[in-house]
Amino acid sequence: MSKTITFSASKGGVGKTTMTFNFASYLTQKGFRVLLVDSDYQGNLSSTYESYTNQNTLYNVFTDGNVEIRSINPLLSLIPASPHLDELEGVLQSKNNKNFMMMMWLQDHLEEIKEYDYILIDTHPEFGTLTKNMIAVSDYVVVPLEPSEYGFIQSKQQFDLRMKEFREDAVDIRTRETLIEAQVLYLANRVKHNTRSSHEFGQMIDQIDNLVAVFNEREVFNSSTMLKTPVFDLEQTKRNPKALQQIKDSFEKLLESVK
């Protein structure tokens, strides 16, 4: 049975797409079969694989059209985003099942999906209908937090509040139990050394429930998506075995948390 992991956050620029892209690479290097789902209408993850398109995309899940699962390599596939995804908020408002259409699609396509060990979903930085659809099908929601002036506390509080409201709203009327089963996990991302915010963040890490891994600020992460190459395959990473091992250790901690 596939494990579904959605990368989400209350604000943009915290490294969701970079994490999704590189975690997918880490999983495939370990021999796992991975399906990526790009639910961000900006399509950065799809663009990384040169698959940002209007044809047979995630948008069609919500409009009863044909969806093509594109093979990237023998272990990695992608359902790409469409620029029209931003229209769905308005299109779906009148539907009673608007937050569960992705769940219904997955149930209808189990034969295609069951071959994957992990489904990784990238989202737009908001908590609208499309993101709720992705969270509704997830076993885990991974939220990157980064040190900043307001950053980690405010972002975590905002996300926790939205998840609490979603769980309370999405209730089975027969059992009165929530339909949202996803466990929320947190990553400390882009942690810099010798800055006040990072020192404060370091002191708070032990107090953050479900914080599973820490990723230090490294230019190679920015380079990986820009060059469309996983961080593990970049020459600048290979030249620094200590940094490479630290990155692998952080991804291994994430993997251990979602097994």
Side-chain angles (χ1 to χ4, degrees):
M1 192 71 178
S2 302
K3 289 289 180 68
T4 302
I5 304 157
T6 288
F7 287 79
S8 187
S10 297
K11 66 172 189 173
V14 295
K16 289 185 294 77
T17 301
T18 301
M19 281 293 159
T20 309
F21 174 62
N22 283 290
F23 190 44
S25 173
Y26 184 75
L27 291 173
T28 58
Q29 286 184 12
K30 285 185 163 289
F32 294 112
R33 293 183 61 87
V34 178
L35 173 63
L36 290 168
V37 179
D38 188 356
S39 71
D40 186 350
Y41 65 82
Q42 293 177 322
N44 291 330
L45 183 63
S46 300
S47 296
T48 302
Y49 296 104
E50 299 182 350
S51 296
Y52 191 38
T53 175
N54 284 324
Q55 302 298 317
N56 308 119
T57 68
L58 182 66
Y59 182 82
N60 297 95
V61 166
F62 301 90
T63 56
D64 297 323
N66 292 322
V67 179
E68 180 185 352
I69 299 177
R70 291 159 170 81
S71 176
I72 305 300
N73 62 50
L75 292 178
L76 184 65
S77 299
L78 169 71
I79 298 178
S82 162
H84 294 303
L85 286 173
D86 66 339
E87 301 169 7
L88 287 176
E89 193 70 32
V91 170
L92 300 179
Q93 281 309 304
S94 62
K95 293 185 176 291
N96 292 330
N97 61 343
K98 64 180 181 181
N99 293 327
F100 299 97
M101 297 180 71
M102 186 67 182
M103 183 181 292
M104 295 168 64
W105 186 88
L106 288 174
Q107 290 171 345
D108 291 341
H109 294 81
L110 285 177
E111 286 302 311
E112 298 170 65
I113 301 303
K114 68 179 184 181
E115 65 181 274
Y116 298 101
D117 301 299
Y118 290 93
I119 301 172
L120 304 186
I121 303 175
D122 192 22
T123 59
H124 189 69
E126 44 72 58
F127 212 91
T129 301
L130 187 55
T131 295
K132 288 178 180 177
N133 267 270
M134 301 304 130
I135 291 174
V137 301
S138 296
D139 298 293
Y140 298 93
V141 180
V142 176
V143 183
L145 302 173
E146 63 174 344
S148 65
E149 185 176 356
Y150 304 103
F152 43 91
I153 297 177
Q154 186 180 50
S155 295
K156 183 178 184 301
Q157 289 176 340
Q158 287 177 351
F159 197 86
D160 286 343
L161 178 60
R162 288 169 177 169
M163 278 295 295
K164 180 176 182 293
E165 292 173 344
F166 188 29
R167 290 186 200 280
E168 292 172 350
D169 288 342
V171 171
D172 186 327
I173 59 174
R174 296 165 299 180
T175 64
R176 305 300 171 91
E177 294 181 359
T178 183
L179 299 170
I180 309 306
E181 300 178 350
Q183 179 183 352
V184 179
L185 305 175
Y186 291 95
L187 300 178
N189 193 32
R190 295 176 178 167
V191 178
K192 300 178 182 178
H193 297 291
N194 302 319
T195 65
R196 191 182 74 174
S197 61
S198 290
H199 283 307
E200 292 173 353
F201 190 87
Q203 293 170 4
M204 295 188 64
I205 280 177
D206 292 338
Q207 303 172 36
I208 300 176
D209 293 337
N210 297 328
L211 192 143
V212 296
V214 177
F215 289 85
N216 293 327
E217 172 74 15
R218 297 188 189 278
E219 182 58 34
V220 288
F221 279 108
N222 297 327
S223 299
S224 70
T225 45
M226 183 170 59
L227 298 175
K228 303 179 180 180
T229 304
V231 65
F232 315 101
D233 298 332
L234 292 172
E235 285 302 319
Q236 62 198 101
T237 313
K238 293 177 180 178
R239 290 196 298 267
N240 190 340
K242 182 178 179 181
L244 177 59
Q245 189 58 52
Q246 288 175 343
I247 293 169
K248 287 183 176 180
D249 288 345
S250 295
F251 277 116
E252 184 61 28
K253 289 178 180 177
L254 175 56
L255 175 57
E256 288 296 320
S257 301
V258 298
K259 280 185 174 178

